[in-house]
Amino acid sequence: MRPYHQISIIECGEPLVKIPLERFAVETPHPYEKLGADYGGYSAYFLRASVVENLIEAQNYLQLLHPGWCIQIFDAYRPVAVQQFMVDYSFAQAVQARGLIESDLSTQQREEIWQQVYEIWAVPSLDMNTPPPHSTGAAVDITLVDENGEVVNMGSPIDEMSERSHPDYYAHSDAHCHQEYHRHRELLLNVMLKAGFQRNPREWWHFSFGDQMWAWLCNQQTARYGRFNNE
């Protein structure tokens, strides 16, 4: 259980709608689809209607500050089946990165790797009271693209399973490049906060509006979006 799972959900029934991708930058084909993830008739580029409106608002704020810059959408709606697929994939990648073979793992090694995976990934729970944030259609993973169409350097890639993913990882470093990474992260945070979003305390790229994590960070008693009910 994560702390935000204590938040009750009163589902508002708002539809899941396609993000107007012509307003944003996107990676094509989608990174998870390239790996074989099945979105079940939807795609990663869907969100609840109000979340899309707020994302457009954040984009407008960004372009007032940096004309020509735009938000790049990495991932948005994610069915629980895709969450499970990516959790399993990340576990396998972590095993490989350690030079190990999954069938030979000790109980302790297995537990350590799963702990590393769940530092970043939400548990792919089917319990309607504890939905993975992306399965609600209220969470989005994003970064920034500059006026030249280049992805802005945030100091670590999205989904990296390390402490570099923590939003303030570079906050107290004196290195010039680290200060720049932190400024980019703060820029992304500020335009998203202005549009009503909240940021995952563990991930510089993850923002949400209306789900349990958002409600917990805003000190709200209830969330408005649960797991999207067409799954």
Side-chain angles (χ1 to χ4, degrees), residues 35-57:
L35 298 174
D38 182 2
Y39 281 80
Y42 288 90
S43 81
Y45 302 124
F46 277 73
L47 287 169
R48 299 293 187 117
S50 293
V51 184
V52 171
E53 291 173 6
N54 288 2
L55 193 59
I56 292 170
E57 189 177 342

Side-chain angles (χ1 to χ4, degrees), residues 155-166:
S156 69
I158 290 173
D159 287 346
E160 180 174 279
M161 292 188 294
S162 83
E163 291 187 357
R164 297 198 309 170
S165 295
H166 297 173

Side-chain angles (χ1 to χ4, degrees), residues 19 21 24-35 39 43-47 55 70-78 82 86 89 120-121 134 139-145 151 156-160 188 203-206:
I19 300 167
L21 297 181
F24 302 95
V26 294
E27 186 174 334
T28 305
H30 184 270
Y32 301 162
E33 289 180 320
K34 283 193 292 187
L35 298 174
Y39 281 80
S43 81
Y45 302 124
F46 277 73
L47 287 169
L55 193 59
C70 65
I71 291 170
Q72 177 169 293
I73 301 168
F74 180 86
D75 194 45
Y77 172 62
R78 188 188 303 156
V82 175
M86 290 307 303
Y89 174 82
I120 291 295
W121 295 94
H134 282 274
V140 61
D141 295 338
I142 56 175
T143 188
L144 297 173
V145 170
V151 176
S156 69
I158 290 173
D159 287 346
E160 180 174 279
L188 182 60
E203 301 172 1
W204 63 258
W205 61 81
H206 177 116

Side-chain angles (χ1 to χ4, degrees), residues 9-16 40 42 48 77-80 126 128 131-132 134-138 224-231:
I9 301 168
I10 301 177
E11 172 59 53
C12 67
E14 195 173 280
L16 199 67
Y42 288 90
R48 299 293 187 117
Y77 172 62
R78 188 188 303 156
V80 177
L126 290 171
M128 296 298 286
H134 282 274
S135 73
T136 68
R224 65 184 74 176
Y225 304 121
R227 195 178 91 215
F228 183 64
N229 59 15
N230 275 17
E231 287 197 53

Side-chain angles (χ1 to χ4, degrees), residues 127-223:
D127 185 338
M128 296 298 286
N129 295 313
T130 59
H134 282 274
S135 73
T136 68
V140 61
D141 295 338
I142 56 175
T143 188
L144 297 173
V145 170
D146 66 19
E147 70 277 9
N148 298 314
E150 298 293 328
V151 176
V152 173
N153 194 333
M154 296 290 191
S156 69
I158 290 173
D159 287 346
E160 180 174 279
M161 292 188 294
S162 83
E163 291 187 357
R164 297 198 309 170
S165 295
H166 297 173
D168 290 334
Y169 180 78
Y170 294 108
H172 305 296
S173 172
D174 293 331
H176 176 74
C177 62
H178 292 177
Q179 292 174 5
E180 186 174 53
Y181 301 154
H182 187 67
R183 282 197 301 272
H184 293 159
R185 294 181 181 196
E186 288 295 286
L187 171 62
L188 182 60
L189 172 64
N190 290 336
V191 299
M192 294 299 282
L193 286 177
K194 196 168 176 63
F197 289 89
Q198 289 290 329
R199 181 175 64 185
N200 185 329
R202 298 183 180 198
E203 301 172 1
W204 63 258
W205 61 81
H206 177 116
F207 294 86
S208 63
F209 173 83
D211 65 358
Q212 286 175 303
M213 184 183 292
W214 172 88
W216 175 63
L217 292 168
C218 292
N219 295 314
Q220 300 290 315
Q221 296 299 310
T222 59

